[in-house]
Amino acid sequence: MANNKVHIFDTTLRDGEQVPGCKLNMPEKIEIALSLEQLGVDVIEAGFPISSPGDFKSVEEICKNVKRPIICALSRAIPKDIKVAAESLRYARRPRIHTGIGTSPQHIEFKLKSTPEKIIERAVEAVKYAKSFVEDVEFYAEDAGRTPNEYLAQVVEAAIKAGATVVNIPDTTGYCLPEEYGRKIRYLKENVKGIHKAIISAHCHNDLGMATANSIAAVQNGAQQIECTINGIGERAGNTSLEEVVMVMKQHSDLGFYTNVQSRMLTSLSQLVANRMGIVVQANKAIVGANAFAHSSGIHQDGVIKKRETYEIMDPADVGLDRSRIVLTARSGRAALAFRAKEVGFNLKKTELDVIYNEFLVVADRQKEINDQDLTHLLKRSFEKINLSLH
Ligand code: KIV
Ligand code: ZN
């Protein structure tokens, strides 16, 4: 039974918007935030307010317009950042400040030029300062994926003691394997004093194509929140894809997790974000790609026409599509041709199908796909020939 709720923290407007060339204007951000609210996400990370006046204003406007979800603003562990994040959230009904610092050896030595002890001090100060503005403070240990578990546990424990309500364990560089990331979450669950006072959050990047698998491993090991973006957009290879983790938990209800996301809105949200950001969704993208519910080989088409479940593990209606697509190509068989011919108004007899199928293959070998218009044209032409040969 799915009885463990997983909070969905959407960061399309913050980590997602870090994609080069994908700047959204304020009305577009508000439109996406309102759609995310309807989708049922629990948290919207609306921006990084210190980064620009435009981002500050967008967070402020999202706070005025969005009512139900928590609105979160990002900051570094720098007092000015935190203060500006707090100001941008002043109209939010449920504000959250997201603050944090790098904790991996690479970040401490090369980026921050600091020491492990000083990083813990800065983490504690940042959480305490954020706490002076809002009750709900999420702490992130940047590059937690490459941070040794013992040290990570010390940082997380100190952040919770300072008042963090959520502890985010980002695999910033997308380095971890699912088993390794799951073990990291379990380690924190079992070794951090006070861990029951905070929600553990998974934040994965997709550099090795494992963001979804890592996020699912995290919830299986004790995380209660997943940070993700629509279409998996984000820095480099992107973030965990919201639609993927939501549908994994829905399809595998035996895992025992559920979310509040209205999965029937996934396709429309994907298209909205793709349009506004000007990023085309790859055709074979799981759940929302143009081919995710399209069948083009004869064997698969025959199976799906007989019974959809032969080659589909999800009902297209569950993600907001009215049906799967039977695509006519040179790999299609007679069953697919008869099926599509019927859709455009031609009920073919077996003898007609045999003749027309050969004509169809000649055309299909010349072009990639036969659309409704091509098919109607081909059927009319073939029937004219059949009729002529009868006279
Ligand atoms: O990937 C990351 O580490 C982040 C943090 C700023 C939360 O996006
Ligand atoms: Zn990130």
Side-chain angles (χ1 to χ4, degrees):
M1 271 303 289
N3 52 11
N4 291 312
K5 168 156 178 187
V6 174
H7 299 251
I8 295 296
F9 174 117
D10 181 277
T11 182
T12 305
L13 297 174
R14 200 280 296 171
D15 224 351
E17 214 232 3
Q18 290 178 207
V19 174
C22 279
K23 193 98 195 67
L24 296 167
N25 60 33
M26 195 158 68
E28 288 168 335
K29 286 189 184 178
I30 295 171
E31 183 187 20
I32 292 174
L34 288 171
S35 302
L36 289 168
E37 177 173 34
Q38 275 184 11
L39 182 71
V41 304
D42 301 280
V43 187
I44 295 175
E45 187 163 50
F48 181 17
I50 192 86
S51 67
S52 74
D55 219 44
F56 179 95
K57 194 79 196 124
S58 298
V59 176
E60 204 174 52
E61 288 304 311
I62 289 170
C63 292
K64 289 182 191 165
N65 284 277
V66 172
K67 299 186 174 58
R68 187 194 44 79
I70 292 169
I71 305 296
C72 181
L74 185 78
S75 65
R76 293 163 295 182
I78 296 175
K80 179 90 174 106
D81 274 40
I82 297 170
K83 190 161 186 285
V84 170
E87 280 162 11
S88 75
L89 290 169
R90 76 195 132 142
Y91 298 107
R93 289 162 201 233
R94 302 170 68 198
R96 175 183 294 175
I97 294 177
H98 192 187
T99 190
I101 194 159
T103 55
S104 65
Q106 293 86 339
H107 278 229
I108 296 176
E109 189 182 342
F110 303 113
K111 189 177 95 169
L112 300 160
K113 304 197 186 320
S114 185
T115 63
E117 296 72 26
K118 287 207 179 98
I119 292 300
I120 295 184
E121 278 169 27
R122 280 189 63 186
V124 167
E125 278 163 22
V127 172
K128 284 191 174 159
Y129 189 50
K131 237 8 215 192
S132 71
F133 298 104
V134 295
E135 182 44 41
D136 191 5
V137 173
E138 174 166 338
F139 171 76
Y140 65 85
E142 195 181 7
D143 206 12
R146 291 187 298 172
T147 303
N149 290 347
E150 298 73 18
Y151 176 63
L152 184 61
Q154 288 174 31
V155 182
V156 168
E157 191 167 307
I160 294 174
K161 203 161 163 224
T165 45
V166 182
V167 283
N168 178 11
I169 312 301
D171 183 22
T172 307
T173 51
Y175 174 73
C176 288
L177 297 169
E179 208 247 331
E180 181 185 13
Y181 190 64
R183 232 186 304 122
K184 191 176 280 292
I185 302 294
R186 168 101 7 229
Y187 184 88
L188 297 175
K189 193 95 193 150
E190 290 172 355
N191 292 283
V192 169
K193 236 185 273 153
I195 194 74
H196 60 281
K197 294 189 201 148
I199 285 178
I200 302 181
S201 186
H203 179 115
C204 299
H205 281 264
N206 207 29
D207 299 65
L208 292 173
M210 270 182 298
T212 294
N214 285 350
S215 301
I216 296 298
V219 294
Q220 289 182 289
N221 283 282
Q224 300 119 297
Q225 175 175 284
I226 294 180
E227 309 198 359
C228 45
T229 60
I230 300 288
N231 298 334
I233 53 161
E235 289 269 0
R236 308 181 309 278
N239 285 62
T240 301
S241 145
L242 181 148
E243 55 280 3
E244 291 176 17
V245 286
V246 164
M247 290 312 287
V248 169
M249 289 185 272
K250 188 172 169 69
Q251 294 311 113
H252 286 273
S253 56
D254 51 306
L255 292 178
F257 302 113
Y258 74 95
T259 71
N260 278 350
V261 167
Q262 302 300 313
S263 65
R264 282 170 190 251
M265 285 184 64
L266 288 174
T267 300
S268 60
L269 245 294
S270 160
Q271 286 164 359
L272 175 72
V273 169
N275 286 339
R276 298 298 179 263
M277 288 200 163
I279 291 198
V280 180
V281 179
Q282 75 192 57
N284 60 329
K285 166 83 180 62
I287 321 292
V288 292
N291 292 346
F293 292 89
H295 306 274
S296 74
S297 88
I299 297 170
H300 290 210
Q301 291 175 330
D302 182 49
V304 168
I305 290 166
K306 286 177 177 146
K307 181 104 177 130
R308 191 184 57 74
E309 287 82 352
T310 51
Y311 287 96
E312 278 182 2
I313 56 150
M314 285 172 275
D315 185 341
D318 282 350
V319 301
L321 290 170
D322 45 2
R323 60 191 172 135
S324 348
R325 281 193 314 129
I326 297 291
V327 183
L328 289 182
T329 69
R331 302 289 149 273
S332 298
R334 284 173 170 71
L337 178 60
F339 178 84
R340 285 283 303 275
K342 198 168 171 196
E343 285 191 332
V344 294
F346 291 79
N347 223 337
L348 303 181
K349 293 192 203 105
K350 161 114 185 41
T351 45
E352 291 164 346
L353 181 61
D354 287 341
V355 177
I356 295 171
Y357 183 65
N358 289 330
E359 304 248 345
F360 159 79
L361 284 183
V362 174
V363 181
D365 261 336
R366 277 203 310 262
Q367 59 192 75
K368 283 189 183 147
E369 192 183 323
I370 310 276
N371 62 26
D372 282 355
Q373 210 184 350
D374 302 326
L375 181 62
T376 309
H377 185 67
L378 174 106
L379 288 163
K380 283 188 179 156
R381 223 184 40 224
S382 304
F383 270 109
E384 273 166 22
K385 275 200 211 156
I386 293 172
N387 287 338
L388 278 179
S389 68
L390 290 176
H391 289 111

